[in-house]
Amino acid sequence: MYLCSVATLAEEDYIKAIYSLSGIDGNPISTSSISGYLGVNPASVSGMVKKLSAKKLLEYKRSHGTSLTAKGKKLAIGIVRKHRLWETFLVEKLGFSWEEVHDLAEQLEHIRSEDLINRLDGYLGFPKTDPHGDPIPDKSGKIAQTGLISLSKLGSGENGVVGGVGNQDSKFLKHLNQLKVGIGSEVKVLNINDFDKSIEASIDGKKIFLSDKLASQILIFKD
């Protein structure tokens, strides 16, 4: 059992934000980073950190920053699991596009029932990744590593398959839709511009030009 109801909805948002910011290594996060990520003022962050520390979900050290406790990380992974399963459901079963589902899943991720989430997982066939290519934690909280790398890391002549995105902003995803780039697209780097590192690539057989900034947010399974 790893889903729990020890936190309010606002507290869960903070827990997930800190988990997202801290990365795989769980690095301590500054108050200003949390403030910028959530779009709230630093005083609000400080107040919430105190509340979550009292609940043993966070550890705060003045000179280092904020990090999740084992209890906090367990809660965060449960929230991420729910979010990604709901995104998958919305795309696969209700026909939403990948740029539409993030905000809806933000609402649905606060549903408390662990039984519902496990049944949803089974109904979907126990998917390993969500529509954006992010790994979905299993019911024990285990997260598989995807092995994805940025398209901008490929060299000229190298191939890969799109497996995810590093940016889930709706405008970015709509732009990829316009370029006809999505999960499963086959990519070959044809040329890399020495001046600005922009890429000429073949995507599903169609020649396309990508800025280095754009390419860095397209994640690839390298052949």
Side-chain angles (χ1 to χ4, degrees):
M1 300 281 289
Y2 73 94
L3 297 177
C4 58
S5 57
V6 297
T8 67
L9 304 191
E11 290 169 349
E12 287 187 353
D13 287 339
Y14 272 82
I15 290 292
K16 191 177 76 164
I18 294 166
Y19 177 77
S20 298
L21 288 166
S22 62
I24 296 174
D25 297 328
N27 297 315
I29 304 302
S30 68
T31 297
S32 61
S33 294
I34 300 169
S35 173
Y37 187 90
L38 290 173
V40 298
N41 65 63
S44 296
V45 175
S46 296
M48 183 62 78
V49 166
K50 289 179 181 178
K51 288 181 181 179
L52 295 174
S53 295
K55 290 187 174 186
K56 309 299 182 184
L57 295 168
L58 296 181
E59 289 181 349
Y60 173 73
K61 294 182 180 179
R62 193 178 188 87
S63 58
H64 291 82
T66 299
S67 56
L68 295 174
T69 62
K71 182 180 178 181
K73 185 176 181 180
K74 190 176 184 180
L75 175 59
I77 291 173
I79 298 166
V80 169
R81 169 173 163 80
K82 289 185 285 183
H83 184 100
R84 294 177 181 174
L85 283 170
W86 283 121
E87 285 193 334
T88 303
F89 173 76
L90 290 167
V91 169
E92 291 189 0
K93 304 302 180 181
L94 297 187
F96 285 89
S97 58
W98 66 343
E99 77 272 12
E100 296 178 305
V101 295
H102 178 76
D103 289 345
L104 291 170
E106 288 275 296
Q107 299 171 54
L108 292 165
E109 70 186 23
H110 296 296
I111 290 173
R112 302 293 188 187
S113 173
E114 183 176 358
D115 183 49
L116 171 61
I117 299 306
N118 289 336
R119 291 189 185 206
L120 177 65
D121 193 15
Y123 174 69
L124 294 170
F126 305 102
K128 301 299 182 185
T129 57
D130 72 9
H132 306 105
D134 290 324
I136 299 173
D138 66 18
K139 66 180 181 179
S140 68
K142 186 175 181 180
I143 305 175
Q145 298 302 310
T146 61
L148 293 168
I149 64 169
S150 168
L151 172 55
S152 60
K153 299 295 184 183
L154 294 187
S156 183
E158 292 188 317
N159 303 283
V161 176
V162 176
V165 290
N167 183 340
Q168 295 184 19
D169 180 81
S170 62
K171 292 180 181 178
F172 173 73
L173 297 175
K174 286 178 182 177
H175 185 55
L176 291 186
N177 288 343
Q178 292 171 349
L179 296 173
K180 300 190 183 305
V181 176
I183 304 297
S185 293
E186 296 183 0
V187 179
K188 181 174 183 178
V189 176
L190 303 175
N191 186 54
I192 301 173
N193 189 300
D194 290 334
F195 174 68
D196 61 3
K197 302 303 179 185
S198 60
I199 292 174
E200 178 184 359
S202 170
I203 298 185
D204 291 332
K206 180 182 177 181
K207 188 180 291 187
I208 192 171
F209 292 89
L210 303 169
S211 68
D212 180 57
K213 181 179 180 180
L214 180 59
S216 70
Q217 297 300 314
I218 299 173
L219 305 181
I220 302 290
F221 290 112
K222 184 179 177 182
D223 288 347

